[in-house]
Amino acid sequence: MLKDYFRNDPDVIEVKYMPKELALKDLQESLGPMNSVLAGFTDNPLPSSFELKLKGEALDPARISQKTFRLKGLAGVDDVQYGEKWLASLFTMTRGVKIVTGILSVVIFIAIAFVTYSTIKILFYRRIEEIETLKLLGATRGFIRLPFLLEGTFVGTAGGVMGLIGLSVIYSFTTSRIIEFLPSLRGMLIFFPSSTYLAAPLVGAVLSLAGSFLAIGKIKY
Amino acid sequence: MIQFTEVSKYYDNQAALKDATFSVGRGELIYVTGPSGAGKTTLLKLIYRAEKPDVGKIRVADWDVGDLKQRTIPYLRRNIGVIFQDFRLLFNRTVFDNVALALRIHSMHPAEIKERCLEVLKDVGLKHKAYDFPKHLSGGEQQRVVIARAMVSRPTILLADEPTGNLDADTAIIITKLFKEINARGATIIIATHSQGGHGMRAFMYCLKTAAKNLWHEKWINLLTVLSIAVGLLILGTFVLLTMNMESSISRWSSGFGLAI
């Protein structure tokens, strides 16, 4: 009956029933040579339990707390455990990091466009005589601007590729060090999926192109 | 071909040209003379729209020069070859490249550019110096490169600003003879002197090569920019990765939600 209730809950992805005998066996196996500590018990001290896997959006601490309260009120449920303090702090930290990432992305995006803007502006003024001559010979705006726009795009793409390479090198180095100390994290740390590798060069290219475009502005005749 | 109607141009309320009215027919060779500061250069600049008249009307071929839109100016200039008083040669390019520039902006085929440049350099007696840099040429030779650049696109109008001003008498005679030959081929020529006397893909490829050359030429500036962008994206990537890992650990956490019954 409880199982049906959990299965009908839209927040629950998976329901697993754990009888008390199996829970004791699992505990004995996980304690290994130290399982003698259980010898003092004549009866099985562990309860039968359900393990529920919830959807990602249901993992909000406030929502989970409400759900716990509701589940505790169900007939046959003695206790609900989910490590609320750990989850709440992880949730708060993640939200903080997300906000910092958001702000940082705006700052870095502006910085990339500005760096390219300055570079192209410098290059533009270094070649001003050449540009003046081209204008007098009848070169169109597009003809004069195109080399600068291409240059900005090359620079941005190269920056994106280098950034991605640098990040993967740092990631490999850092994860290998972390796993040395915390082997349980092996296979748990994730890197960008290969389908998103183009994003960094693309972001670099688009922002640098925008910076270059602003730098050369309107060419007046 | 060229018609000025009551044209005036002022710099800081000083008239450089006042009420100029004249016309030049197709195929004429005209000398504009006068002392320094008489407005000869201004007059030429008004024709190729490097300056805009304050008063009056200027017609060049079918163009109403005073009312031209910015984006149309290049197309007017492609019909006019200009021999600048200060040469305006690009000293980091060879003689050939300086001359070819006038054709590259027309998106002409490279083979045709080569043929026409070498032909015009032969006309001005500089074919043997096609791949030299302008700094290795004498004043007279540089002047002839400028003439070649102005002639190479076969413009209908040729404007020359003091073309023999800095030359010795012998070279001046050669250059004057050259103008007469160009005029005989049908070009309208205006010479200002103080003494009596234009396909998308190809242009894109040229711009691409120029960009690549510039990237290498200005390599340190560009390298620094690349590194700055890389560092910026690296920092951002680290934070995105951190967020991804934290979210992944929260979703893994959900499996540990247990109910004792």
Side-chain angles (χ1 to χ4, degrees):
Chain A
M1 181 159 161
L2 268 177
K3 199 169 187 176
D4 290 339
Y5 177 84
F6 297 140
R7 273 185 181 155
N8 291 331
D9 187 332
D11 289 342
V12 175
I13 308 171
E14 197 182 305
V15 183
K16 193 173 154 194
Y17 176 65
M18 177 72 76
K20 57 197 291 185
E21 297 77 22
L22 194 59
L24 182 65
K25 202 176 153 204
D26 273 3
L27 184 63
Q28 281 169 339
E29 276 171 14
S30 63
L31 285 172
M34 291 168 70
N35 65 9
S36 54
V37 294
L38 298 171
F41 293 100
T42 49
D43 291 329
N44 183 352
L46 301 176
S48 294
S49 62
F50 279 103
E51 276 182 19
L52 308 182
K53 189 167 184 177
L54 303 184
K55 279 180 185 169
E57 59 262 35
L59 292 168
D60 176 78
R63 199 164 153 183
I64 246 182
S65 170
Q66 280 176 6
K67 187 176 281 296
T68 309
F69 184 75
R70 228 179 20 250
L71 291 177
K72 273 184 178 167
L74 292 174
V77 175
D78 294 332
D79 193 17
V80 181
Q81 289 178 359
Y82 66 96
E84 59 263 52
K85 279 187 184 161
W86 172 237
L87 183 65
S89 47
L90 191 60
F91 194 83
T92 313
M93 270 168 64
T94 307
R95 202 162 52 183
V97 172
K98 262 186 183 172
I99 293 168
V100 172
T101 307
I103 296 168
L104 207 64
S105 51
V106 173
V107 171
I108 288 174
F109 286 174
I110 292 172
I112 290 173
F114 183 73
V115 163
T116 320
Y117 171 90
S118 313
T119 303
I120 297 296
K121 202 85 180 166
I122 292 168
L123 300 181
F124 190 82
Y125 284 119
R126 278 172 72 117
R127 297 177 206 152
I128 199 78
E129 270 188 46
E130 187 176 334
I131 290 164
E132 286 303 318
T133 304
L134 281 169
K135 275 157 64 175
L136 292 169
L137 291 175
T140 56
R141 282 177 188 165
F143 188 89
I144 297 168
R145 282 169 143 184
L146 197 57
F148 290 99
L149 296 179
L150 290 170
E151 206 170 333
T153 312
F154 285 147
V155 163
T157 311
V161 171
M162 277 185 73
L164 185 68
I165 293 171
L167 189 64
S168 64
V169 169
I170 291 173
Y171 173 82
S172 319
F173 177 76
T174 316
T175 46
S176 66
R177 297 306 292 252
I178 290 174
I179 288 166
E180 241 176 63
F181 290 104
L182 296 164
S184 59
L185 287 178
R186 188 183 296 279
M188 287 187 171
L189 297 170
I190 53 171
F191 192 64
F192 297 114
S194 55
S195 57
T196 61
Y197 284 179
L198 269 180
L202 203 69
V203 165
V206 169
L207 292 170
S208 297
L209 182 64
S212 316
F213 206 78
L214 290 173
I216 46 178
K218 262 195 152 187
I219 291 170
K220 292 217 168 91
Y221 284 90
Chain B
M1 194 67 168
I2 299 169
Q3 188 157 11
F4 273 50
T5 312
E6 293 174 350
V7 174
S8 298
K9 177 72 190 171
Y10 299 91
Y11 296 111
D12 300 326
N13 295 325
Q14 291 267 341
L17 200 70
K18 198 160 169 49
D19 292 332
T21 300
F22 64 89
S23 63
V24 181
R26 191 179 296 272
E28 281 190 86
L29 192 155
I30 302 287
Y31 281 91
V32 179
T33 60
S36 291
K40 302 185 296 290
T41 302
T42 304
L43 188 140
L44 297 186
K45 281 183 172 176
L46 286 165
I47 296 173
Y48 62 88
R49 235 326 269 284
E51 294 290 354
K52 201 176 171 183
D54 293 316
V55 184
K57 258 191 149 13
I58 302 171
R59 280 198 78 81
V60 174
D62 294 328
W63 311 84
D64 189 345
V65 175
D67 291 337
L68 274 186
K69 286 185 178 155
Q70 290 271 321
R71 79 175 97 91
T72 325
I73 296 171
Y75 301 100
L76 164 78
R77 289 183 184 166
R78 289 179 185 192
N79 291 298
I80 304 172
V82 186
I83 296 153
F84 303 101
Q85 195 172 10
D86 55 356
F87 298 174
R88 288 192 170 272
L89 287 172
L90 304 179
F91 284 84
N92 57 349
R93 304 202 191 184
T94 62
V95 166
F96 178 88
D97 279 335
N98 268 281
V99 177
L101 209 57
L103 296 179
R104 283 182 178 137
I105 60 174
H106 288 257
S107 303
M108 204 171 268
H109 193 281
E112 200 182 344
I113 291 178
K114 191 173 180 185
E115 191 190 322
R116 274 172 71 165
C117 287
L118 293 177
E119 187 187 312
V120 83
L121 283 170
K122 190 179 162 199
D123 286 348
V124 297
L126 284 176
K127 194 179 173 186
H128 63 294
K129 296 208 170 175
Y131 300 102
D132 286 1
F133 284 89
K135 65 179 174 190
H136 297 130
L137 305 182
S138 69
E141 286 170 329
Q142 287 184 7
Q143 180 73 285
R144 279 186 278 163
V145 177
V146 182
I147 295 172
R149 188 180 62 188
M151 284 165 56
V152 75
S153 59
R154 294 172 190 162
T156 49
I157 299 166
L158 194 68
L159 307 176
D161 195 359
E162 301 282 5
T164 54
N166 303 313
L167 305 179
D168 58 75
D170 289 343
T171 317
I173 290 167
I174 294 169
I175 293 206
T176 308
K177 200 177 147 208
L178 204 57
F179 283 134
K180 286 184 177 159
E181 282 172 20
I182 300 164
N183 178 238
R185 289 179 210 160
T188 306
I189 303 181
I190 299 182
I191 302 170
T193 173
H194 62 269
S195 56
Q196 191 81 26
H199 303 286
M201 198 42 152
R202 288 193 206 104
F204 177 76
M205 290 310 289
Y206 176 73
C207 289
L208 197 68
K209 282 182 196 162
T210 308
K213 207 164 130 190
N214 290 342
L215 269 169
W216 180 245
H217 184 63
E218 320 267 7
K219 60 189 171 209
W220 297 115
I221 298 175
N222 283 321
L223 192 65
L224 208 63
T225 313
V226 169
L227 284 176
S228 318
I229 294 170
V231 170
L233 288 175
L234 197 145
I235 294 169
L236 185 62
T238 308
F239 270 81
V240 173
L241 214 51
L242 191 62
T243 312
M244 279 167 61
N245 275 289
M246 287 175 89
E247 280 193 325
S248 133
S249 51
I250 287 182
S251 81
R252 267 199 305 275
W253 186 259
S254 66
S255 59
F257 193 92
L259 292 95
I261 50 175

